[in-house]
Amino acid sequence: MSKMTIQVAFDYTCPYCYIGHHQVLRLREEFGVEFDYLCYELWPEGMEIVHGPVKPDIPGKPRVPTRFEFALAASGVPKPRHFVDGDRIHNALEATEHAKAVGVAGQFVDRLFRALWTEGLAINDLNVLSSLAEGIVPDVDALLADVENRAFADKIVLFDDPAHATGVYNVPTFVINGKKFAEQPFSVLERAIRAVLN
């Protein structure tokens, strides 16, 4: 019997995809499911990177947790050592598509998430990508050539309009048995998988 495959639309620089990656690891361990990583680019070239408004501190006002901090707590996911909020990431996505093509997507995606959110590395830099690919990708030179030639540009879905045309409005979006689940807690994804497996 073939394993269940779940599609997940993601971008490395999305804080909620950091949580989503931890969900992927847990779901893989608990259910033995496989994942098809769909590369979505939140901040493609030409789009202005916009950060959320920074509210001024009010003396004496207690601090309120952010939406991301609430999501971390609800998911039981550790706070990242390095916080990322928007960045150009096209090279990393091209490299990910190469890793998919040679059958090592799971290992490579995990390495890049850890490099970005735990180690604070610039994963869009070609030298950094080369180093991270060592020991995972069979031919690192071929990976770099694909990145430089944008060999997989047609497989990377850009925000906003192209992404919305595919039904993806937020990342991560998990596709389980044809139904989309966007930025959902682990319990929701778990129930959806159990419903299919049972």
Side-chain angles (χ1 to χ4, degrees):
M1 182 177 178
S2 62
K3 289 186 177 181
M4 179 181 180
T5 299
I6 298 170
Q7 293 181 316
V8 55
F10 80 104
D11 178 294
Y12 289 106
T13 66
C14 168
Y16 300 96
C17 290
Y18 165 78
I19 294 174
H21 180 61
H22 281 266
Q23 293 172 329
V24 164
L25 297 177
R26 185 175 171 187
L27 291 170
R28 183 184 288 139
E29 181 178 351
E30 292 192 14
F31 294 99
V33 294
E34 296 181 347
F35 287 89
D36 178 15
Y37 296 93
L38 308 179
C39 292
Y40 278 67
E41 191 168 1
L42 280 175
W43 305 107
E45 293 178 5
M47 178 184 286
E48 180 184 1
I49 296 178
V50 179
H51 301 285
V54 178
K55 296 182 180 180
D57 289 333
I58 299 175
K61 180 184 177 183
R63 183 182 179 279
V64 176
T66 66
R67 179 174 173 253
F68 180 56
E69 289 169 337
F70 269 121
L72 286 172
S75 300
V77 172
K79 183 179 179 181
R81 294 180 188 170
H82 299 272
F83 182 76
V84 181
D85 184 18
D87 202 355
R88 306 292 182 208
I89 208 74
H90 188 86
N91 289 343
L93 296 176
E94 288 274 359
T96 300
E97 289 293 344
H98 176 94
K100 286 174 62 176
V102 298
V104 294
Q107 290 175 272
F108 191 71
V109 169
D110 181 53
R111 184 67 190 98
L112 263 61
F113 265 112
R114 287 188 289 109
L116 180 64
W117 290 91
T118 301
E119 301 165 42
L121 300 180
I123 64 170
N124 208 48
D125 180 89
L126 292 181
N127 291 327
V128 173
L129 278 174
S130 175
S131 176
L132 294 174
E134 290 287 348
I136 298 176
V137 175
D139 188 339
V140 176
D141 288 338
L143 177 144
L144 293 175
D146 279 348
V147 172
E148 292 178 326
N149 294 325
R150 300 202 164 200
F152 298 100
D154 62 328
K155 294 185 178 298
I156 298 169
V157 184
L158 310 182
F159 270 82
D160 289 316
D161 292 344
H164 295 172
T166 69
V168 172
Y169 296 85
N170 308 84
V171 285
T173 291
F174 291 78
V175 184
I176 302 172
N177 199 32
K179 184 176 180 181
K180 294 183 175 70
F181 296 84
E183 293 186 18
Q184 292 295 323
F186 181 84
S187 58
V188 172
L189 303 175
E190 181 183 37
R191 283 197 302 272
I193 294 173
R194 288 191 187 281
V196 176
L197 295 178
N198 294 335

